[in-house]
Amino acid sequence: MSDKVFSPTAAASENAHVASMEQYRELYARSVEDPEGFWAEQAEQRLTWLERWQTVRKYDYHKAEIGWYLGGKLNACYNCVDRHVEAGRGEATALIWEGNNPSESKTYSYAELQTEVQKAGN
């Protein structure tokens, strides 16, 4: 195993959701020490909810029953596509499709993906 570390550029770190290993370690510690509070905060900051949840998580590992954000409702398509167009990121890359043939690929912006999703929905 190599001990080499490839650090991101300063510009990449400035635009990252997690800008440093120190910040990552802080987030990880919070997620372990207060999972309900941590994941509630993440859901409130990163998703748009139609109805807020009543319970962040409910689990029984012995029965393999795990539930997240119980009682909450959201629109996955809105969260994945539409909100990015509304926020002015319509021209940013949303999806890169790679075909079975290495020469086949297509890049979709959020605006293009929104148009294709609307076509499929119609």
Side-chain angles (χ1 to χ4, degrees):
M1 178 177 242
S2 174
D3 290 337
K4 287 186 177 184
V5 174
F6 298 93
S7 299
T9 64
S13 291
E14 285 178 23
N15 293 317
H17 289 291
V18 179
S20 67
M21 282 304 293
E22 180 182 332
Q23 184 185 11
Y24 168 79
R25 287 184 184 103
E26 290 171 7
L27 288 168
Y28 177 76
R30 275 205 56 235
S31 76
V32 173
E33 294 163 7
D34 179 19
E36 279 80 10
F38 176 82
W39 289 111
E41 182 181 290
Q42 297 303 307
E44 288 170 352
Q45 290 177 357
R46 298 181 185 274
L47 297 170
T48 300
W49 293 86
L50 300 173
E51 292 181 28
R52 192 177 185 279
W53 63 91
Q54 288 84 43
T55 304
V56 173
R57 70 178 182 154
K58 183 176 179 182
Y59 60 93
D60 183 332
Y61 291 131
H62 299 290
K63 295 180 182 177
E65 295 176 354
I66 302 170
W68 286 93
Y69 307 109
L70 302 174
K73 293 184 181 179
L74 53 73
N75 180 316
C77 185
Y78 178 83
N79 277 285
C80 292
V81 180
D82 300 330
R83 70 185 178 115
H84 298 288
V85 175
E86 289 176 7
R89 294 187 296 273
E91 297 311 310
T93 300
L95 177 73
I96 301 171
W97 174 82
E98 296 288 341
N100 291 332
N101 180 335
S103 67
E104 292 181 320
S105 68
K106 178 157 177 51
T107 301
Y108 292 88
S109 69
Y110 283 103
E112 291 169 328
L113 186 57
Q114 184 182 50
T115 297
E116 294 301 317
V117 167
Q118 289 170 344
K119 285 181 193 177
N122 287 331

mmCIF file of all heavy atoms in Angstrom, residues 69-106:
data_model
loop_
_atom_site.group_PDB
_atom_site.id
_atom_site.type_symbol
_atom_site.label_atom_id
_atom_site.label_comp_id
_atom_site.label_asym_id
_atom_site.label_seq_id
_atom_site.Cartn_x
_atom_site.Cartn_y
_atom_site.Cartn_z
ATOM 1 N N TYR A 69 -36.008 9.215 8.246
ATOM 2 C CA TYR A 69 -36.873 10.372 8.006
ATOM 3 C C TYR A 69 -38.340 9.958 7.911
ATOM 4 O O TYR A 69 -39.057 10.323 6.972
ATOM 5 C CB TYR A 69 -36.408 11.144 6.766
ATOM 6 C CG TYR A 69 -34.945 11.500 6.848
ATOM 7 C CD1 TYR A 69 -34.003 10.883 6.048
ATOM 8 C CD2 TYR A 69 -34.512 12.440 7.766
ATOM 9 C CE1 TYR A 69 -32.656 11.198 6.152
ATOM 10 C CE2 TYR A 69 -33.162 12.762 7.882
ATOM 11 C CZ TYR A 69 -32.244 12.140 7.071
ATOM 12 O OH TYR A 69 -30.906 12.454 7.176
ATOM 13 N N LEU A 70 -38.773 9.202 8.913
ATOM 14 C CA LEU A 70 -40.131 8.666 8.938
ATOM 15 C C LEU A 70 -41.154 9.787 8.986
ATOM 16 O O LEU A 70 -41.051 10.717 9.780
ATOM 17 C CB LEU A 70 -40.299 7.725 10.121
ATOM 18 C CG LEU A 70 -39.325 6.546 10.141
ATOM 19 C CD1 LEU A 70 -39.456 5.753 11.426
ATOM 20 C CD2 LEU A 70 -39.531 5.656 8.936
ATOM 21 N N GLY A 71 -42.149 9.689 8.121
ATOM 22 C CA GLY A 71 -43.199 10.693 8.020
ATOM 23 C C GLY A 71 -42.873 11.820 7.060
ATOM 24 O O GLY A 71 -43.730 12.622 6.737
ATOM 25 N N GLY A 72 -41.638 11.882 6.597
ATOM 26 C CA GLY A 72 -41.231 12.939 5.687
ATOM 27 C C GLY A 72 -41.610 12.631 4.252
ATOM 28 O O GLY A 72 -41.731 11.474 3.859
ATOM 29 N N LYS A 73 -41.827 13.682 3.479
ATOM 30 C CA LYS A 73 -42.133 13.529 2.055
ATOM 31 C C LYS A 73 -41.279 14.505 1.271
ATOM 32 O O LYS A 73 -41.143 15.671 1.651
ATOM 33 C CB LYS A 73 -43.613 13.790 1.771
ATOM 34 C CG LYS A 73 -44.532 12.752 2.366
ATOM 35 C CD LYS A 73 -45.964 12.995 1.975
ATOM 36 C CE LYS A 73 -46.848 11.936 2.629
ATOM 37 N NZ LYS A 73 -48.252 12.152 2.294
ATOM 38 N N LEU A 74 -40.731 14.015 0.179
ATOM 39 C CA LEU A 74 -39.964 14.875 -0.716
ATOM 40 C C LEU A 74 -40.168 14.423 -2.146
ATOM 41 O O LEU A 74 -40.699 13.354 -2.401
ATOM 42 C CB LEU A 74 -38.481 14.904 -0.334
ATOM 43 C CG LEU A 74 -37.706 13.600 -0.181
ATOM 44 C CD1 LEU A 74 -37.415 12.916 -1.493
ATOM 45 C CD2 LEU A 74 -36.396 13.894 0.525
ATOM 46 N N ASN A 75 -39.755 15.258 -3.072
ATOM 47 C CA ASN A 75 -39.803 14.937 -4.486
ATOM 48 C C ASN A 75 -38.351 14.728 -4.912
ATOM 49 O O ASN A 75 -37.570 15.679 -4.976
ATOM 50 C CB ASN A 75 -40.452 16.085 -5.262
ATOM 51 C CG ASN A 75 -40.534 15.822 -6.744
ATOM 52 O OD1 ASN A 75 -39.588 15.351 -7.356
ATOM 53 N ND2 ASN A 75 -41.672 16.152 -7.328
ATOM 54 N N ALA A 76 -37.993 13.478 -5.185
ATOM 55 C CA ALA A 76 -36.602 13.146 -5.515
ATOM 56 C C ALA A 76 -36.147 13.863 -6.782
ATOM 57 O O ALA A 76 -35.022 14.353 -6.854
ATOM 58 C CB ALA A 76 -36.439 11.639 -5.652
ATOM 59 N N CYS A 77 -37.012 13.942 -7.781
ATOM 60 C CA CYS A 77 -36.631 14.603 -9.027
ATOM 61 C C CYS A 77 -36.353 16.083 -8.781
ATOM 62 O O CYS A 77 -35.369 16.623 -9.287
ATOM 63 C CB CYS A 77 -37.711 14.426 -10.081
ATOM 64 S SG CYS A 77 -37.221 15.098 -11.679
ATOM 65 N N TYR A 78 -37.194 16.725 -7.998
ATOM 66 C CA TYR A 78 -36.953 18.137 -7.687
ATOM 67 C C TYR A 78 -35.598 18.306 -7.011
ATOM 68 O O TYR A 78 -34.817 19.192 -7.353
ATOM 69 C CB TYR A 78 -38.070 18.701 -6.787
ATOM 70 C CG TYR A 78 -37.808 20.131 -6.416
ATOM 71 C CD1 TYR A 78 -38.160 21.156 -7.278
ATOM 72 C CD2 TYR A 78 -37.151 20.456 -5.234
ATOM 73 C CE1 TYR A 78 -37.877 22.488 -6.973
ATOM 74 C CE2 TYR A 78 -36.866 21.777 -4.917
ATOM 75 C CZ TYR A 78 -37.229 22.782 -5.790
ATOM 76 O OH TYR A 78 -36.941 24.082 -5.485
ATOM 77 N N ASN A 79 -35.306 17.448 -6.036
ATOM 78 C CA ASN A 79 -34.049 17.551 -5.308
ATOM 79 C C ASN A 79 -32.838 17.232 -6.174
ATOM 80 O O ASN A 79 -31.766 17.796 -5.970
ATOM 81 C CB ASN A 79 -34.068 16.648 -4.072
ATOM 82 C CG ASN A 79 -34.765 17.312 -2.910
ATOM 83 O OD1 ASN A 79 -34.216 18.190 -2.284
ATOM 84 N ND2 ASN A 79 -36.004 16.916 -2.660
ATOM 85 N N CYS A 80 -32.989 16.342 -7.136
ATOM 86 C CA CYS A 80 -31.857 15.945 -7.991
ATOM 87 C C CYS A 80 -31.644 16.877 -9.177
ATOM 88 O O CYS A 80 -30.517 16.990 -9.671
ATOM 89 C CB CYS A 80 -32.062 14.527 -8.499
ATOM 90 S SG CYS A 80 -31.970 13.281 -7.217
ATOM 91 N N VAL A 81 -32.710 17.508 -9.672
ATOM 92 C CA VAL A 81 -32.605 18.270 -10.918
ATOM 93 C C VAL A 81 -33.115 19.704 -10.776
ATOM 94 O O VAL A 81 -32.351 20.659 -10.906
ATOM 95 C CB VAL A 81 -33.372 17.557 -12.064
ATOM 96 C CG1 VAL A 81 -33.263 18.347 -13.355
ATOM 97 C CG2 VAL A 81 -32.863 16.134 -12.257
ATOM 98 N N ASP A 82 -34.390 19.858 -10.529
ATOM 99 C CA ASP A 82 -35.049 21.162 -10.619
ATOM 100 C C ASP A 82 -34.443 22.238 -9.718
ATOM 101 O O ASP A 82 -34.261 23.386 -10.146
ATOM 102 C CB ASP A 82 -36.545 21.031 -10.307
ATOM 103 C CG ASP A 82 -37.254 20.099 -11.265
ATOM 104 O OD1 ASP A 82 -36.830 20.004 -12.426
ATOM 105 O OD2 ASP A 82 -38.236 19.449 -10.841
ATOM 106 N N ARG A 83 -34.115 21.896 -8.489
ATOM 107 C CA ARG A 83 -33.606 22.926 -7.578
ATOM 108 C C ARG A 83 -32.261 23.478 -8.037
ATOM 109 O O ARG A 83 -31.932 24.624 -7.766
ATOM 110 C CB ARG A 83 -33.535 22.424 -6.143
ATOM 111 C CG ARG A 83 -32.468 21.396 -5.880
ATOM 112 C CD ARG A 83 -32.588 20.874 -4.437
ATOM 113 N NE ARG A 83 -31.601 19.863 -4.200
ATOM 114 C CZ ARG A 83 -30.598 20.004 -3.336
ATOM 115 N NH1 ARG A 83 -30.464 21.105 -2.638
ATOM 116 N NH2 ARG A 83 -29.733 19.030 -3.167
ATOM 117 N N HIS A 84 -31.486 22.663 -8.767
ATOM 118 C CA HIS A 84 -30.207 23.142 -9.275
ATOM 119 C C HIS A 84 -30.413 24.145 -10.415
ATOM 120 O O HIS A 84 -29.685 25.136 -10.516
ATOM 121 C CB HIS A 84 -29.340 21.970 -9.739
ATOM 122 C CG HIS A 84 -29.012 21.041 -8.611
ATOM 123 N ND1 HIS A 84 -28.131 21.376 -7.612
ATOM 124 C CD2 HIS A 84 -29.469 19.803 -8.312
ATOM 125 C CE1 HIS A 84 -28.047 20.377 -6.752
ATOM 126 N NE2 HIS A 84 -28.854 19.413 -7.148
ATOM 127 N N VAL A 85 -31.429 23.903 -11.252
ATOM 128 C CA VAL A 85 -31.761 24.852 -12.317
ATOM 129 C C VAL A 85 -32.259 26.148 -11.686
ATOM 130 O O VAL A 85 -31.816 27.241 -12.062
ATOM 131 C CB VAL A 85 -32.808 24.256 -13.286
ATOM 132 C CG1 VAL A 85 -33.244 25.291 -14.316
ATOM 133 C CG2 VAL A 85 -32.247 23.010 -13.983
ATOM 134 N N GLU A 86 -33.154 26.052 -10.707
ATOM 135 C CA GLU A 86 -33.687 27.234 -10.030
ATOM 136 C C GLU A 86 -32.587 28.056 -9.351
ATOM 137 O O GLU A 86 -32.690 29.278 -9.261
ATOM 138 C CB GLU A 86 -34.726 26.826 -8.986
ATOM 139 C CG GLU A 86 -36.017 26.323 -9.575
ATOM 140 C CD GLU A 86 -36.988 25.828 -8.516
ATOM 141 O OE1 GLU A 86 -36.721 26.001 -7.305
ATOM 142 O OE2 GLU A 86 -38.028 25.267 -8.903
ATOM 143 N N ALA A 87 -31.544 27.390 -8.886
ATOM 144 C CA ALA A 87 -30.449 28.078 -8.181
ATOM 145 C C ALA A 87 -29.423 28.676 -9.144
ATOM 146 O O ALA A 87 -28.407 29.203 -8.716
ATOM 147 C CB ALA A 87 -29.762 27.105 -7.227
ATOM 148 N N GLY A 88 -29.699 28.592 -10.471
ATOM 149 C CA GLY A 88 -28.798 29.196 -11.444
ATOM 150 C C GLY A 88 -27.674 28.292 -11.912
ATOM 151 O O GLY A 88 -26.739 28.747 -12.555
ATOM 152 N N ARG A 89 -27.770 27.008 -11.602
ATOM 153 C CA ARG A 89 -26.732 26.068 -12.039
ATOM 154 C C ARG A 89 -27.197 25.207 -13.202
ATOM 155 O O ARG A 89 -26.721 24.097 -13.393
ATOM 156 C CB ARG A 89 -26.311 25.191 -10.856
ATOM 157 C CG ARG A 89 -25.614 25.966 -9.747
ATOM 158 C CD ARG A 89 -25.044 25.063 -8.668
ATOM 159 N NE ARG A 89 -26.057 24.312 -7.952
ATOM 160 C CZ ARG A 89 -26.725 24.737 -6.890
ATOM 161 N NH1 ARG A 89 -26.510 25.945 -6.412
ATOM 162 N NH2 ARG A 89 -27.615 23.966 -6.297
ATOM 163 N N GLY A 90 -28.095 25.732 -14.005
ATOM 164 C CA GLY A 90 -28.655 24.978 -15.121
ATOM 165 C C GLY A 90 -27.632 24.519 -16.143
ATOM 166 O O GLY A 90 -27.792 23.478 -16.763
ATOM 167 N N GLU A 91 -26.566 25.274 -16.314
ATOM 168 C CA GLU A 91 -25.551 24.907 -17.315
ATOM 169 C C GLU A 91 -24.456 24.011 -16.748
ATOM 170 O O GLU A 91 -23.600 23.525 -17.489
ATOM 171 C CB GLU A 91 -24.948 26.162 -17.937
ATOM 172 C CG GLU A 91 -25.963 27.000 -18.705
ATOM 173 C CD GLU A 91 -26.808 26.182 -19.698
ATOM 174 O OE1 GLU A 91 -26.221 25.429 -20.491
ATOM 175 O OE2 GLU A 91 -28.044 26.298 -19.658
ATOM 176 N N ALA A 92 -24.476 23.754 -15.447
ATOM 177 C CA ALA A 92 -23.480 22.865 -14.833
ATOM 178 C C ALA A 92 -23.765 21.415 -15.221
ATOM 179 O O ALA A 92 -24.914 21.031 -15.474
ATOM 180 C CB ALA A 92 -23.511 23.008 -13.316
ATOM 181 N N THR A 93 -22.748 20.616 -15.262
ATOM 182 C CA THR A 93 -22.898 19.201 -15.619
ATOM 183 C C THR A 93 -23.661 18.463 -14.533
ATOM 184 O O THR A 93 -23.287 18.505 -13.363
ATOM 185 C CB THR A 93 -21.529 18.538 -15.837
ATOM 186 O OG1 THR A 93 -20.871 19.215 -16.897
ATOM 187 C CG2 THR A 93 -21.676 17.067 -16.173
ATOM 188 N N ALA A 94 -24.729 17.789 -14.944
ATOM 189 C CA ALA A 94 -25.544 17.015 -14.022
ATOM 190 C C ALA A 94 -25.281 15.523 -14.171
ATOM 191 O O ALA A 94 -25.321 14.777 -13.200
ATOM 192 C CB ALA A 94 -27.029 17.283 -14.274
ATOM 193 N N LEU A 95 -25.015 15.082 -15.394
ATOM 194 C CA LEU A 95 -24.928 13.652 -15.675
ATOM 195 C C LEU A 95 -23.972 13.418 -16.834
ATOM 196 O O LEU A 95 -24.018 14.145 -17.830
ATOM 197 C CB LEU A 95 -26.324 13.128 -16.042
ATOM 198 C CG LEU A 95 -26.463 11.674 -16.439
ATOM 199 C CD1 LEU A 95 -26.309 10.780 -15.223
ATOM 200 C CD2 LEU A 95 -27.810 11.431 -17.094
ATOM 201 N N ILE A 96 -23.134 12.415 -16.682
ATOM 202 C CA ILE A 96 -22.274 11.980 -17.782
ATOM 203 C C ILE A 96 -22.649 10.531 -18.070
ATOM 204 O O ILE A 96 -22.501 9.666 -17.209
ATOM 205 C CB ILE A 96 -20.779 12.086 -17.420
ATOM 206 C CG1 ILE A 96 -20.417 13.529 -17.075
ATOM 207 C CG2 ILE A 96 -19.916 11.567 -18.570
ATOM 208 C CD1 ILE A 96 -19.027 13.700 -16.495
ATOM 209 N N TRP A 97 -23.174 10.291 -19.254
ATOM 210 C CA TRP A 97 -23.574 8.952 -19.669
ATOM 211 C C TRP A 97 -22.448 8.342 -20.487
ATOM 212 O O TRP A 97 -21.905 8.988 -21.389
ATOM 213 C CB TRP A 97 -24.860 9.016 -20.505
ATOM 214 C CG TRP A 97 -25.240 7.686 -21.076
ATOM 215 C CD1 TRP A 97 -25.907 6.687 -20.453
ATOM 216 C CD2 TRP A 97 -24.964 7.222 -22.406
ATOM 217 N NE1 TRP A 97 -26.067 5.628 -21.300
ATOM 218 C CE2 TRP A 97 -25.487 5.929 -22.509
ATOM 219 C CE3 TRP A 97 -24.321 7.774 -23.506
ATOM 220 C CZ2 TRP A 97 -25.399 5.176 -23.675
ATOM 221 C CZ3 TRP A 97 -24.228 7.024 -24.656
ATOM 222 C CH2 TRP A 97 -24.765 5.739 -24.729
ATOM 223 N N GLU A 98 -22.066 7.111 -20.154
ATOM 224 C CA GLU A 98 -21.045 6.377 -20.894
ATOM 225 C C GLU A 98 -21.692 5.119 -21.455
ATOM 226 O O GLU A 98 -22.236 4.314 -20.703
ATOM 227 C CB GLU A 98 -19.873 5.987 -19.982
ATOM 228 C CG GLU A 98 -19.113 7.153 -19.420
ATOM 229 C CD GLU A 98 -18.252 7.869 -20.448
ATOM 230 O OE1 GLU A 98 -17.949 7.268 -21.506
ATOM 231 O OE2 GLU A 98 -17.882 9.028 -20.202
ATOM 232 N N GLY A 99 -21.636 4.953 -22.763
ATOM 233 C CA GLY A 99 -22.205 3.780 -23.405
ATOM 234 C C GLY A 99 -21.296 2.561 -23.273
ATOM 235 O O GLY A 99 -20.191 2.647 -22.741
ATOM 236 N N ASN A 100 -21.759 1.426 -23.766
ATOM 237 C CA ASN A 100 -20.948 0.213 -23.742
ATOM 238 C C ASN A 100 -19.719 0.355 -24.629
ATOM 239 O O ASN A 100 -18.671 -0.205 -24.351
ATOM 240 C CB ASN A 100 -21.775 -0.996 -24.175
ATOM 241 C CG ASN A 100 -22.826 -1.348 -23.139
ATOM 242 O OD1 ASN A 100 -22.647 -1.087 -21.962
ATOM 243 N ND2 ASN A 100 -23.922 -1.924 -23.588
ATOM 244 N N ASN A 101 -19.878 1.095 -25.706
ATOM 245 C CA ASN A 101 -18.759 1.386 -26.598
ATOM 246 C C ASN A 101 -18.027 2.592 -26.002
ATOM 247 O O ASN A 101 -18.632 3.636 -25.776
ATOM 248 C CB ASN A 101 -19.292 1.713 -27.998
ATOM 249 C CG ASN A 101 -18.202 2.030 -28.986
ATOM 250 O OD1 ASN A 101 -17.123 2.460 -28.617
ATOM 251 N ND2 ASN A 101 -18.501 1.829 -30.256
ATOM 252 N N PRO A 102 -16.715 2.473 -25.760
ATOM 253 C CA PRO A 102 -15.981 3.578 -25.136
ATOM 254 C C PRO A 102 -16.075 4.909 -25.885
ATOM 255 O O PRO A 102 -15.862 5.957 -25.304
ATOM 256 C CB PRO A 102 -14.538 3.078 -25.105
ATOM 257 C CG PRO A 102 -14.649 1.606 -25.147
ATOM 258 C CD PRO A 102 -15.873 1.300 -25.961
ATOM 259 N N SER A 103 -16.420 4.871 -27.157
ATOM 260 C CA SER A 103 -16.531 6.124 -27.902
ATOM 261 C C SER A 103 -17.913 6.766 -27.750
ATOM 262 O O SER A 103 -18.138 7.867 -28.245
ATOM 263 C CB SER A 103 -16.219 5.886 -29.384
ATOM 264 O OG SER A 103 -17.228 5.076 -29.973
ATOM 265 N N GLU A 104 -18.829 6.082 -27.092
ATOM 266 C CA GLU A 104 -20.179 6.620 -26.887
ATOM 267 C C GLU A 104 -20.275 7.267 -25.509
ATOM 268 O O GLU A 104 -20.118 6.604 -24.488
ATOM 269 C CB GLU A 104 -21.229 5.509 -26.952
ATOM 270 C CG GLU A 104 -21.420 4.893 -28.307
ATOM 271 C CD GLU A 104 -22.490 3.814 -28.262
ATOM 272 O OE1 GLU A 104 -22.541 3.046 -27.284
ATOM 273 O OE2 GLU A 104 -23.268 3.746 -29.212
ATOM 274 N N SER A 105 -20.531 8.550 -25.501
ATOM 275 C CA SER A 105 -20.766 9.240 -24.235
ATOM 276 C C SER A 105 -21.554 10.517 -24.515
ATOM 277 O O SER A 105 -21.570 11.025 -25.631
ATOM 278 C CB SER A 105 -19.452 9.557 -23.525
ATOM 279 O OG SER A 105 -18.721 10.514 -24.238
ATOM 280 N N LYS A 106 -22.219 11.003 -23.479
ATOM 281 C CA LYS A 106 -22.975 12.246 -23.594
ATOM 282 C C LYS A 106 -22.997 12.907 -22.229
ATOM 283 O O LYS A 106 -23.136 12.249 -21.215
ATOM 284 C CB LYS A 106 -24.397 11.996 -24.081
ATOM 285 C CG LYS A 106 -25.225 13.271 -24.175
ATOM 286 C CD LYS A 106 -26.365 13.148 -25.127
ATOM 287 C CE LYS A 106 -27.251 14.380 -25.170
ATOM 288 N NZ LYS A 106 -26.627 15.645 -25.370
#
